[in-house]
Amino acid sequence: MPGKSLSRKTPEQQLLLAQVGQIAEGLAQTFAPFTEVVVHDLLDPAHAVLAVHNNLSGRQVGHPATELGLARIMDPACEQIIANYPNRFADGRQAKSTSIGIKDSQGRYVAALCMNIDLTLFQGFQSAMDRFTAIQGSTPAQESLDPSGAGAIRARIDAFAAKMAATPRSLKPRSRRALVKELKAAGLLEVRRAADTIAAHLGVSRATVYSDAK
C-alpha cells in the first residue's frame, strides 16, 4: 500500500539512495540559491522525502511522496525522466521542474531526484532587459505609476532581487530591510494585505516585514 514502506531495502537499494543523495547535494551547491533539489525514497512513500536542499517549496524531510512518486511506485513503466515541466510553489511563484526516477537492477523504482527552479530571478532579468531595450515610440510621453495590488508588490520585489543577483527568498537581512523601506516609500505598504503578500514572497513572517519597515 502507498502509505507503508514497501519492503526492507537491499544493499543495492541502500547504495543507490546514498549515491542519489550525494548527487543531489552537488547539484544543490552548483545551482544555489534558485534551484531546490529534493531526494525521494520511493520504497517508503509515507515518509518519502529524504533530503531538501535550497528549500523553496517548504517541504520537509519525512513528508510523503508526491503524486508523481506514487505513480512510479505503482507502475515501473512510468516515464523515468520528466524534464522542464511547469510547476508552481505554494505562495504562487512560478517554477520549472525536472524529476528523474532511479531504478534498481530489478527495474523497480527506488528513488527520485527532483529539481524545482524558482523562475522569479530570471523573470526579473527578463523584465530588466525588456526595459533596457525598449525604444521610445511616436506617442507622447505619459506619466507612468506602478499599478496597485499584490502583483505590483511582487513585481517590485522581483526587480529588486534581480538587481542583487538573488531570489526574493535569498535576500540578506540588510538587503531585505532596504527593499521593505523602498516599498514603504513607494506607498506599496498601504495596499490591502501588503504585509501578507510581502511576507509570502520573501519567505518571512509578517512581524519581520513590520520590523523591517520601521
Side-chain angles (χ1 to χ4, degrees), residues 110-129:
V110 173
L113 176 63
C114 300
M115 293 176 287
N116 304 307
I117 301 175
D118 185 346
L119 296 180
T120 53
L121 172 63
F122 305 100
Q123 290 167 340
F125 283 150
Q126 182 177 6
S127 175
M129 288 301 296

Side-chain angles (χ1 to χ4, degrees), residues 42-59:
L42 299 184
L43 298 177
D44 187 9
H47 311 92
V49 177
L50 285 184
V52 184
H53 303 281
N54 304 331
N55 196 323
L56 299 173
S57 65
R59 303 203 72 196

Side-chain angles (χ1 to χ4, degrees), residues 93-107:
R93 286 170 297 144
Q94 291 184 339
K96 182 174 75 171
S97 298
T98 290
S99 178
I100 305 168
I102 308 298
K103 293 183 177 182
D104 61 16
S105 60
Q106 304 301 311

Side-chain angles (χ1 to χ4, degrees), residues 48 50 73 78 115 118 143 164 166-167 206:
L50 285 184
I73 293 169
C78 183
M115 293 176 287
D118 185 346
E143 185 180 28
M164 301 292 152
T167 65
R206 293 174 73 248

Side-chain angles (χ1 to χ4, degrees), residues 15-115:
L15 179 61
L16 284 171
L17 284 166
Q19 291 300 308
V20 171
Q22 291 295 309
I23 294 169
E25 187 168 349
L27 289 171
Q29 291 181 20
T30 301
F31 297 110
F34 50 79
T35 300
E36 176 185 77
V37 184
V38 185
V39 179
H40 299 266
D41 176 359
L42 299 184
L43 298 177
D44 187 9
H47 311 92
V49 177
L50 285 184
V52 184
H53 303 281
N54 304 331
N55 196 323
L56 299 173
S57 65
R59 303 203 72 196
Q60 301 296 329
V61 171
H63 276 191
T66 62
E67 292 180 1
L68 180 54
L70 294 176
R72 284 181 168 139
I73 293 169
M74 302 301 294
D75 182 12
C78 183
E79 193 170 358
Q80 193 160 2
I81 299 176
I82 302 175
N84 300 321
Y85 60 91
N87 210 337
R88 190 174 292 274
F89 294 116
D91 62 4
R93 286 170 297 144
Q94 291 184 339
K96 182 174 75 171
S97 298
T98 290
S99 178
I100 305 168
I102 308 298
K103 293 183 177 182
D104 61 16
S105 60
Q106 304 301 311
R108 180 181 185 180
Y109 276 115
V110 173
L113 176 63
C114 300
M115 293 176 287

